[in-house]
Amino acid sequence: DSGVTQTPKHLITATGQRVTLRCSPRSGDLSVYWYQQSLDQGLQFLIQYYNGEERAKGNILERFSAQQFPDLHSELNLSSLELGDSALYFCASSVDSYNYGYTFGSGTRLTVV
Amino acid sequence: AQKVTQAQTEISVVEKEDVTLDCVYETRDTTYYLFWYKQPPSGELVFLIRRNSFDEQNEISGRYSWNFQKSTSSFNFTITASQVVDSAVYFCALIETGTASKLTFGTGTRLQVTL
């Protein structure tokens, strides 16, 4: 157990729907990162939050949004889902933005049908 | 911009063979960090090693060893006496200090170890 908890582990939904992925970081970690792993794009950085504030944005679609709550857990919201959004979504956490070591959760496998 | 290249898409070896996974990186920063992660068939990403740009000392940990060479911008990973349980996808990754600690991954090398 890495200490980073992601729920749900698997999600199957239809096109056009909206889903929320949840991440609880490792105790004491202030930064949360979201990554998308798809077959054609590899591991892509989506967004980073640090202590509740957005710190960096990557290749995140406008249909996607995220937030980090006061208790430091984070949610990634995916809306108007398309078949191409099917992927493994990872959350990772670290102690601070320059602690060069992420701990990854086990991921949420999203399948859009 | 930072970039990580893993030219080997897939490697197949027989158990007990040694295998080296190549990683070449590009960065304009003088301070950066390099990582290797393992992704077994179960899907999770497992941290293996971190190395900063000021520490070129190579490291050995059990059957694993890493060779960091700034002169060639390479950070190669060797598994000695490979085992079936080593079968996984291995990712090399890079963080530059000026990028809000965004981890940039290579495309991964799939290692298949057979009996």
Side-chain angles (χ1 to χ4, degrees), chain B residues 44-99:
Chain B
E44 72 271 24
L45 282 165
V46 179
F47 167 78
L48 295 177
I49 191 171
R50 169 173 65 94
R51 174 68 74 235
N52 71 54
S53 53
F54 298 109
D55 181 5
E56 288 193 72
Q57 185 175 12
N58 294 320
E59 182 165 334
I60 297 174
S61 175
R63 295 185 298 106
Y64 296 168
S65 62
W66 290 269
N67 184 356
F68 175 33
Q69 292 194 342
K70 285 180 74 171
S71 60
T72 56
S73 297
S74 65
F75 185 41
N76 297 337
F77 171 37
T78 297
I79 302 175
T80 303
S82 59
Q83 300 176 2
V84 172
V85 292
D86 296 326
S87 297
V89 180
Y90 291 85
F91 292 94
C92 181
L94 166 73
I95 290 178
E96 295 176 331
T97 53
T99 59

Side-chain angles (χ1 to χ4, degrees), chain B residues 9 13 17-18 51-52:
Chain B
T9 304
V13 299
E17 285 185 12
D18 298 347
R51 174 68 74 235
N52 71 54

Side-chain angles (χ1 to χ4, degrees), chain A residues 51-94:
Chain A
N51 202 21
E53 295 194 1
E54 183 183 301
R55 178 64 66 92
K57 249 183 178 178
N59 301 321
I60 188 166
L61 300 172
E62 286 192 10
R63 301 184 286 108
F64 296 0
S65 64
Q67 54 185 327
Q68 185 179 28
F69 295 87
D71 67 351
L72 301 178
H73 92 270
S74 178
E75 293 181 355
L76 179 66
N77 300 296
L78 314 176
S79 61
S80 302
L81 285 167
E82 303 174 359
L83 296 177
D85 297 328
S86 295
L88 191 51
Y89 291 84
F90 284 106
C91 168
S93 71
S94 66

Side-chain angles (χ1 to χ4, degrees), chain B residues 3-67:
Chain B
K3 183 180 178 182
V4 177
T5 301
Q6 295 179 256
Q8 304 153 309
T9 304
E10 190 161 346
I11 300 175
S12 292
V13 299
V14 176
E15 202 176 40
K16 298 182 183 176
E17 285 185 12
D18 298 347
V19 58
T20 295
L21 310 182
D22 297 333
C23 173
V24 174
Y25 61 91
E26 294 177 27
T27 177
R28 295 178 182 175
D29 261 12
T30 56
T31 303
Y32 52 90
Y33 293 75
L34 295 162
F35 301 80
W36 276 95
Y37 282 86
K38 173 182 179 180
Q39 187 174 38
S42 52
E44 72 271 24
L45 282 165
V46 179
F47 167 78
L48 295 177
I49 191 171
R50 169 173 65 94
R51 174 68 74 235
N52 71 54
S53 53
F54 298 109
D55 181 5
E56 288 193 72
Q57 185 175 12
N58 294 320
E59 182 165 334
I60 297 174
S61 175
R63 295 185 298 106
Y64 296 168
S65 62
W66 290 269
N67 184 356

